[in-house]
Amino acid sequence: MTFGSATSLTCTTGAHAAGAVDVVVTNPDTKAATASGTFTYVAAPTIISASPTVGSIAGSTVLTITGTGFVSGSTVSVGGVSCTSVTVASLTSLTCATGAHGAGVVDIVPRTGRSPGGSLSNRSVIGGSNSDGGNAEKPPERRRAARDSGPSM
């Protein structure tokens, strides 16, 4: 906890179940003040699905993510690159536009302003196609090699 002034304190919260909690400040002389239900813990967001699963290396692919825990102010990164135009439609759905990134398999990470974490989950391919018989999670070079290997008929 950091003492800012006679009217300001700063502290870092510990882990807690989701929900509203009281904020209690106790001075060294044991006098205390309570503000009931003034802080709300929220669960880290999770991803159930993301579509499309393939996007351009130039970015600007509109990604629709279905999951849980999305709130206004949520952010998304794809392969470590922040998405733009994040729009939270509901607690379970959001859209965003991907940023430019090199080709390959990447993680999608949602975060909320109120949640310190985020959830690594579904993976997406940048710079490939999704029409290769289920190999979309391989980087494009590997998919090409897999398709082109073996004797030709």
Side-chain angles (χ1 to χ4, degrees), residues 13 22 62 64 107 138:
T13 62
D22 297 345
V62 176
T64 300
D107 289 319
K138 295 180 185 173

Side-chain angles (χ1 to χ4, degrees), residues 16-22 37-43:
H16 194 281
V21 296
D22 297 345
T38 57
F39 184 81
T40 303
Y41 283 91
V42 295

Side-chain angles (χ1 to χ4, degrees), residues 95-123:
T95 60
C96 66
T98 61
H101 191 286
V105 176
V106 296
D107 289 319
I108 301 170
V109 182
R111 297 186 188 281
T112 65
R114 296 183 219 155
S115 176
S119 177
L120 292 174
S121 192
N122 292 3
R123 294 169 8 140

